Amino acid sequence: MTLELPVARRTVNPLLILLTASTGCAMTVLDTNVVAIVLPTITRDLSASFAEVEWVVSTYVLCFASMLLPAGAIADRFGRRKVFLIGIGAFAVASLLCGVAPSAMALYLARAVQGVGAAFLLAPALAIIGHTFHHEAERNRAWAIWGGTMGLTMVLAPIIGGAIAYMLGWRWAFYVNLPICILLAVAVALFMDESRDTDAGQLDPAGILLFSASMFGLTWGLINGQANGWNSVGTVSGFIAGALALTAFIVVESIQHRPMLDLKLFRVRRFVCAVWAMFAYASCAQVMASLLPLFLQNGLGRSPLAAGFAMLPFALTMLIFPYVGRRYGRHLSSSQMLPLGLSVVGLGNVLVSLGAHFEAWSIVILGMLVLGSGGGLLNGETQKAIMSVVPRERAGMASGISTTSRFAGILLGFAVLSGILATVTRSLLTNTSCSGVQPCGYSQAFADAVVAGDLPQAVTGATSMVRDLAITQAKLAYSSAFAAALLAAAVMAVISALVLYLLMRKNWVARTELLRNSIRVGSGDEKDDWIDNA
């Protein structure tokens, strides 16, 4: 008979654990925003089509969004520290593969692996923070530091991306991740102990595969549609496959005893409203971290470095306004804050759209300030709204749903809005019915190069006078198309604000307290009573 002695746990300052986990989360934001700045440079260097450029962003976000729920479940079951280290290693290897990619296809395939690594970075890092800080006061302080770290990263990332593109070349946008990953892995090994959920259930491979397939099918349809036509076989097949996979996912999750996603949560109207607010915020505001740099460079002709600094009005307000939102949150309920934030986002999109259409830089700046303000108000409020409705024992799953809806919103928002951008640009440039000063009469090849952001390739061989005119009209067409895309985002934000206001106008706090008071520890049926009465 052998005795198993208890393992002595290290005494580590919780602040070091928090900073380590927050750095892992911040890497996902840093990578997304830095790559957004260098996309036009990647396009020119690899001679990529617009669809390939979209996949560079979309494969990363697609795999990220698809794997967040399973990554959290795997971390709870097999150990958060272990899975965190695996995520760091996968992210580092994928970053190296991105940096050495010889073609656009090789790059976006490596980005898919990087998205998986990012999911296995973010999910265990969030779980480690939640596991480390128990009391309400220290937990609130921890999440405030985490939010500040993420916000500061969002401010610095465009400038870092611009500096990298200007001084080192786009490949260093990926190489820069390697030393950060090495230092992060050392910090995890030094400061973190292993933790896991002893009550974690079995993994849900069918749910993982079907959810990923549904996201991939819908994204494939959206990206293929703007490249090859909305009636093409590939487009229709993608939408049908995505819809079938989503239906099968719902069926599979509804018949399991312990599903990866408890669909009963979606029987609560206010939970659905909060999740929709998160999706709308991500698809109308947060997605602009990827779309605005394209407009600044391809529409306004800014260099990558200038575009990085030009993103500051948006990034700084996204950093500051969560604190403003917390102050107003003392007097306004979520049922008021969410429609307000989405309305401000809609106004910001309208202003940027007008500035882009009329090429008025001052209006673009004003629009970015308003857009970032609305996004900042929503950034913390959406998470708070979701978590405040759900019982404590289901907080982990609710957090996974929240994060997944955020990145699903970014993914689908980017695909839809960039699809509008590409379709309108092509239509303006290839239209043979010229009127006024609108650019028209150009070849399909020229329009494709403009959409992809490769203007030097588009005007190769042209005389100086023709080249200057073509570049001017290409920028005008791109700006007009971007204005149309942002107008669509504005409509989406305003409609969402109106729907949420109508559905949530009853007193949120009173309803939430009623639900919480109905929750009692007992059998599974008793725990679900609050859902049935919601």
Side-chain angles (χ1 to χ4, degrees):
M1 179 177 179
T2 60
L3 293 176
E4 185 175 338
L5 298 177
V7 178
R9 299 181 67 86
R10 292 169 291 184
T11 302
V12 178
N13 188 335
L15 180 61
L16 295 176
I17 298 175
L18 174 62
L19 293 177
T20 301
S22 297
T23 301
C25 296
M27 281 192 65
T28 63
V29 175
L30 179 68
D31 183 85
T32 301
N33 292 357
V34 167
V35 171
I37 291 291
V38 301
L39 270 180
T41 308
I42 293 173
T43 300
R44 291 188 289 271
D45 191 47
L46 298 181
S47 300
S49 68
F50 184 68
E52 290 174 322
V53 172
E54 282 190 283
W55 278 117
V56 171
V57 174
S58 296
T59 50
Y60 176 82
V61 182
L62 172 64
C63 293
F64 196 175
S66 300
M67 294 305 296
L68 274 168
L69 279 174
I74 291 170
D76 285 344
R77 180 171 177 79
F78 296 105
R80 300 176 182 114
R81 177 176 180 269
K82 182 187 301 181
V83 172
F84 193 19
L85 285 170
I86 291 173
I88 294 170
F91 194 86
V93 171
S95 296
L96 178 61
L97 293 175
C98 289
V100 301
S103 66
M105 179 180 288
L107 176 58
Y108 64 69
L109 289 176
R111 286 281 283 168
V113 180
Q114 194 180 35
V116 174
F120 281 82
L121 266 174
L122 183 65
L126 292 174
I128 287 168
I129 295 173
H131 175 76
T132 303
F133 299 92
H134 304 285
H135 301 296
E136 184 175 357
E138 66 177 15
R139 182 182 293 119
N140 290 341
R141 179 172 175 269
W143 287 119
I145 294 173
W146 176 85
T149 303
M150 299 293 279
L152 183 61
T153 303
M154 180 172 284
V155 171
L156 296 177
I159 299 174
I160 293 172
I164 287 173
Y166 177 74
M167 295 187 295
L168 301 173
W170 66 265
R171 296 182 186 276
W172 279 93
F174 301 103
Y175 291 149
V176 73
N177 293 330
L178 298 178
I180 299 175
C181 284
I182 292 172
L183 293 175
L184 186 59
V186 171
V188 171
L190 290 176
F191 304 141
M192 290 185 178
D193 288 312
E194 188 59 278
S195 66
R196 57 173 55 86
D197 181 1
T198 56
D199 296 325
Q202 297 293 324
L203 294 179
D204 181 10
I208 294 171
L209 291 175
L210 288 171
F211 182 76
S212 300
S214 67
M215 296 291 292
F216 182 82
L218 294 173
T219 306
W220 176 270
L222 288 168
I223 293 179
N224 194 71
Q226 60 81 22
N228 300 314
W230 299 103
N231 295 323
S232 66
V233 175
T235 302
V236 175
S237 299
F239 285 135
I240 291 175
L244 290 175
L246 182 59
T247 303
F249 171 74
I250 293 173
V251 172
V252 167
E253 296 303 288
S254 63
I255 62 176
Q256 293 196 61
H257 176 62
R258 295 199 64 174
M260 179 177 69
L261 175 62
D262 189 349
L263 298 175
K264 291 180 180 178
L265 289 171
F266 290 92
R267 289 159 57 183
V268 182
R269 184 184 63 182
R270 293 184 179 277
F271 180 79
V272 173
C273 289
V275 170
W276 178 255
M278 175 69 85
F279 181 88
Y281 150 67
S283 59
C284 299
Q286 196 170 2
V287 71
M288 296 306 163
S290 295
L291 285 175
L292 280 170
L294 296 179
F295 163 64
L296 293 171
Q297 294 177 72
N298 298 335
L300 297 183
R302 299 285 196 274
S303 68
L305 185 59
F309 280 100
M311 286 289 291
L312 281 177
F314 175 75
L316 285 172
T317 47
M318 283 285 285
L319 172 64
I320 294 170
F321 268 76
Y323 299 96
V324 177
R326 280 200 288 274
R327 179 179 293 272
Y328 278 102
R330 300 170 187 169
H331 310 288
L332 300 175
S333 66
S334 290
S335 59
Q336 296 168 310
M337 286 288 290
L338 295 180
L340 173 63
L342 284 170
S343 298
V344 175
V345 165
L347 176 60
N349 278 322
V350 168
L351 289 172
V352 177
S353 176
L354 290 173
H357 182 74
F358 293 107
E359 297 185 296
W361 176 236
S362 59
I363 299 179
V364 171
I365 292 178
L366 177 61
M368 291 170 69
L369 287 169
V370 175
L371 179 59
S373 300
L377 288 175
L378 290 167
N379 191 25
E381 191 62 34
T382 46
Q383 184 77 12
K384 170 188 165 185
I386 291 173
M387 303 307 292
S388 66
V389 180
V390 179
R392 187 175 181 181
E393 65 269 15
R394 300 188 181 183
M397 183 180 295
S399 180
I401 294 171
S402 170
T403 310
T404 301
S405 63
R406 179 193 296 264
F407 286 98
I410 294 173
L411 172 65
L412 297 180
F414 182 81
V416 170
L417 297 179
S418 59
I420 294 172
L421 172 63
T423 301
V424 175
T425 302
R426 289 193 181 98
S427 176
L428 290 174
L429 289 174
T430 59
N431 183 14
T432 56
S433 301
C434 298
S435 60
V437 296
Q438 188 65 50
C440 60
Y442 289 94
S443 67
Q444 185 67 42
F446 177 82
D448 289 341
V450 172
V451 166
D454 195 359
L455 271 177
Q457 176 64 29
V459 297
T460 299
T463 62
S464 177
M465 183 178 298
V466 172
R467 182 173 62 251
D468 291 343
L469 177 62
I471 289 175
T472 299
Q473 293 201 318
K475 290 178 179 177
L476 177 61
Y478 196 96
S479 295
S480 297
F482 185 79
L486 260 71
L487 195 58
V491 170
M492 166 70 172
V494 171
I495 290 176
S496 296
L498 179 61
V499 171
L500 289 175
Y501 173 76
L502 293 175
L503 292 177
M504 301 168 64
R505 57 186 174 180
K506 292 184 179 181
N507 190 288
W508 174 285
V509 176
R511 187 69 168 174
T512 301
E513 287 302 317
L514 177 63
L515 292 176
R516 288 186 179 280
N517 291 337
S518 69
I519 299 168
R520 295 291 183 269
V521 178
S523 66
D525 292 337
E526 291 171 345
K527 290 181 180 180
D528 289 339
D529 285 345
W530 72 281
I531 293 178
D532 297 329
N533 296 325

